Amino acid sequence: MRNTRDTKLLFELSESGRRSHRLPACDVPERAVMELLPAGALASAPPALSELSEPQVVRHFSNLSQLNMSVDTNFYPLGSCTMKYNPKRNERVASMPGFADLHPYQPEESLQGMLQLLYELQEYLKEISGLDACSLQPAAGAHGELTALWVASAYFRDQAVVTGGSPVTVKAGEPPAATSKRTKVLVPDSAHGTNPASATMAGFETVTVKTLPSGTLDMDDFHRLLDDQIAVFMITNPNTVGIFEPKMREIADAVHKAGGLVYLDGANMNAILGIARPGDFGADMQHYNPHKTFSGPHGGGGPGAGPICVTEELAPYLPTPVVVREEGSGFRVQGSDSDLETDSSLNPEPRTLNPTHFRLDYNRPKSIGRVRAFFGNVGVLVRAYCYIRTHGPDGLRRVSENAVLNANYLLSRVKHFLPVPQGDRCMHEFVASAAKLKSDKGISAMDIAKRLLDFGFHAPTVYFPLTVKESIMVEPTETESKETLDAFAETLFRITEEDARSLRDAPHTTPISRPDEVRAARQPILAWSEA
């Protein structure tokens, strides 16, 4: 792997007068820019841009790209993140001009294809979740959590009004009204960090529920904390240690009996597609991570999506607009030789009546309002639609079956030298522990993660969940072959047999070894230095 110390910045390569293109002579009368633009729009001097030839630019970025790891080049066993291969056919479809060149402010009549796709995707997500209504607006999984909690807040404020409280205007982002005593959200201590963060941002108080060493919920602690102030219980199922909660139905029934709602963190839907539906085991709300469960680019801070599904009782509070389908109310278009309708009182010419019309429904008085510009990141949603249509119901089930099979196979290969505290079986992911290695040999989870980079494997998730000491969270996904899993297991074993002192300096082949990640995030170095 090339060391970036040998690669100069574009500004360092710059030479005055060097160009990557030459424009033809101007064929219209030239005018000074001062005559065309107001003085306030003009800079005092040209921007200090680097001046380079085209080969310099191409080679610079090509060389940098070869330093990257990606799911197209390496195995990504990131637990919880579900970094699986994304089929390129879905990328091609999403980039088709009929999708990519649309503008959300176009008239609905010119968006019928896209609106139909989004409507059908809503229906698929509802069916997969076992819930009754869907919003595609949220821009990420955590945003879906926040949106669903806003929906719950609006619901409880409405309930308070019905039972005698003062009327309250419902708006996204407002905390639960004083007229509602439902101010608490229960969250297991092994939950994704976005759960308590979303609850807090939605104006609720977060209450932590303990989990047992087995990884499942501590039912005694759960029942102790459950009272009439609980608005929502947020739970991931399968949970973050890769176990399906065996008492999920009992948990949901208890929350509902106390008057609360159950929120299902859908981050781990990749394990139960076509096998179990959250709505069937008691969830009232859930979000999807389409890039994880279905298909789409993942990571890098780019556009995401986090659709939510809810029960019929919560549907009125979903963000607006929602894509709806109207039968027999379509607009008229120029007809063909088939399926003609003649209305002589209006127009003697034959016209085709479009029997179905899709539109954006804004008339939802109880809605929390818009939470995202337009109707979501449709490029990500198109990819998810393609993935679902490609696999179909049986195919989606096989996706989960293979994801669970791969995870259990890998668990069986590594548990002998990396103990898995939660047992010999898992769903789509498992959490191993390097605690014994650290105490016996001084090898930490971070040492293992960093050393894996030298062998061409991306590091797994480490130190999450916090309920497992020196945790190493692994999710192979359904897209990896047995050969890849075997190679990964053998490399893990080899690393655990290495000398701890050399591991502390790993990785040895990357441009940098162990940056101070906290400092890098808070104080990024934006200028080149030879130090």
Side-chain angles (χ1 to χ4, degrees):
M1 185 174 287
R2 189 182 293 102
N3 193 312
T4 53
R5 294 288 182 193
D6 300 329
T7 304
K8 291 184 177 181
L9 298 178
L10 290 178
F11 289 99
E12 296 176 301
L13 295 172
S14 177
E15 291 288 343
S16 179
R18 186 170 288 166
R19 294 287 184 271
S20 62
H21 63 275
R22 292 188 182 277
L23 297 177
C26 186
D27 59 353
V28 297
E30 295 189 35
R31 294 177 60 185
V33 69
M34 290 77 75
E35 299 176 17
L36 302 174
L37 297 174
L42 297 175
S44 58
L49 300 178
S50 53
E51 300 178 62
L52 304 160
S53 68
E54 182 173 323
Q56 284 180 299
V57 175
V58 171
R59 287 168 185 166
H60 176 81
F61 287 106
S62 295
N63 287 334
L64 289 182
S65 72
Q66 293 170 20
L67 298 174
N68 291 339
M69 270 193 169
S70 73
V71 76
D72 287 349
T73 59
N74 302 84
F75 174 39
Y76 268 65
L78 278 169
S80 185
C81 286
T82 316
M83 295 287 285
K84 62 184 181 183
Y85 175 78
N86 301 306
K88 296 300 173 280
R89 61 181 294 177
N90 300 347
E91 300 292 325
R92 290 195 295 272
V93 172
S95 64
M96 291 172 64
F99 292 126
D101 294 346
L102 294 180
H103 192 284
Y105 280 150
Q106 289 179 216
E108 288 182 1
E109 286 76 9
S110 68
L111 294 171
Q112 288 299 294
M114 177 63 84
L115 291 180
Q116 179 177 349
L117 182 150
L118 296 177
Y119 174 82
E120 291 181 3
L121 179 60
Q122 287 176 177
E123 296 301 299
Y124 298 153
L125 297 180
K126 286 159 52 178
E127 174 62 27
I128 293 168
S129 68
L131 293 167
D132 305 307
C134 177
S135 170
L136 302 175
Q137 260 191 58
H143 193 211
E145 292 175 13
L146 182 61
T147 301
L149 289 169
W150 280 337
V151 167
S153 182
Y155 168 78
F156 284 118
R157 281 180 285 184
D158 209 10
Q159 293 298 304
V161 172
V162 170
T163 57
S166 302
V168 178
T169 300
V170 175
K171 293 181 180 179
E174 290 184 344
T179 53
S180 175
K181 62 183 178 182
R182 303 284 176 178
T183 59
K184 296 180 180 179
V185 169
L186 295 181
V187 179
D189 58 13
S190 62
H192 296 107
T194 54
N195 287 189
S198 297
T200 300
M201 290 188 68
F204 291 100
E205 175 190 352
T206 301
V207 179
T208 303
V209 185
K210 297 176 183 176
T211 53
L212 300 170
S214 63
T216 58
L217 197 69
D218 185 329
M219 296 299 291
D220 291 337
D221 196 45
F222 165 70
H223 285 295
R224 180 181 65 82
L225 295 171
L226 194 59
D227 58 29
D228 61 4
Q229 291 182 296
I230 299 302
V232 179
F233 178 52
M234 301 182 77
I235 185 168
T236 309
N237 195 30
N239 62 28
T240 55
V241 296
I243 296 175
F244 195 94
E245 287 285 348
K247 297 184 177 180
M248 187 64 225
R249 186 77 251 181
E250 177 185 338
I251 293 168
D253 289 345
V255 173
H256 293 152
K257 185 177 181 180
L261 300 171
V262 176
Y263 180 85
L264 189 283
D265 182 331
N268 293 343
M269 284 295 293
N270 204 51
I272 60 173
L273 293 173
I275 300 172
R277 305 193 307 174
D280 294 341
F281 57 68
D284 301 290
M285 310 173 282
Q286 80 155 86
H287 81 265
Y288 285 94
N289 296 88
H291 49 287
K292 294 170 58 171
T293 306
F294 305 116
S295 169
H298 187 162
I308 61 171
C309 292
V310 300
T311 60
E312 184 178 2
E313 291 76 16
L314 299 175
Y317 308 97
L318 286 175
T320 54
V322 173
V323 184
V324 296
R325 170 178 172 167
E326 295 181 341
E327 297 291 345
S329 60
F331 54 90
R332 295 177 184 275
V333 296
Q334 183 63 46
S336 60
D337 292 334
S338 61
D339 193 23
L340 298 181
E341 177 182 296
T342 301
D343 188 341
S344 58
S345 64
L346 297 176
N347 191 334
E349 296 182 8
R351 297 274 178 167
T352 298
L353 179 63
N354 184 353
T356 304
H357 183 220
F358 298 90
R359 67 177 180 85
L360 296 170
D361 182 12
Y362 292 89
N363 186 23
R364 304 174 74 85
K366 294 186 177 182
S367 169
I368 63 172
R370 189 189 292 277
V371 299
R372 177 71 170 83
F374 311 119
F375 20 92
N377 283 323
V378 295
V380 177
L381 299 175
V382 169
R383 291 168 172 86
Y385 177 88
C386 293
Y387 187 92
I388 294 171
R389 287 297 301 265
T390 298
H391 285 280
D394 294 337
L396 291 180
R397 183 184 180 99
R398 285 194 296 273
V399 164
S400 290
E401 290 172 343
N402 288 332
V404 173
L405 177 63
N406 275 1
N408 278 278
Y409 175 72
L410 194 52
L411 185 155
S412 72
R413 289 291 316 267
V414 307
K415 66 181 181 181
H416 309 293
F417 56 90
L418 278 177
V420 179
Q422 282 74 36
D424 292 338
R425 294 289 184 272
C426 66
M427 295 295 288
H428 64 304
E429 64 189 6
F430 62 90
V431 180
S433 172
K436 190 172 188 305
L437 274 173
K438 188 171 184 179
S439 63
D440 292 350
K441 301 178 61 176
I443 298 175
S444 68
M446 183 63 74
D447 294 334
I448 294 172
K450 294 295 187 181
R451 182 66 170 131
L452 277 167
L453 301 178
D454 290 327
F455 294 93
F457 295 107
H458 194 281
T461 301
V462 293
Y463 300 122
F464 176 80
L466 298 176
T467 51
V468 178
K469 293 181 178 180
E470 293 293 323
S471 58
I472 300 176
M473 192 180 193
V474 179
E475 181 179 1
T477 80
E478 75 282 359
T479 56
E480 300 300 336
S481 67
K482 179 177 179 295
E483 291 79 8
T484 297
L485 302 185
D486 286 337
F488 180 71
E490 290 160 10
T491 301
L492 275 176
F493 177 73
R494 174 178 170 180
I495 291 171
T496 61
E497 295 292 300
E498 291 183 338
D499 181 70
R501 287 175 294 180
S502 64
L503 287 179
R504 293 192 190 104
D505 296 327
H508 304 288
T509 59
T510 56
I512 57 175
S513 182
R514 297 211 186 186
D516 184 335
E517 285 135 353
V518 174
R519 183 181 176 189
R522 294 179 177 176
Q523 300 174 345
I525 299 173
L526 302 179
W528 182 260
S529 172
E530 293 296 335

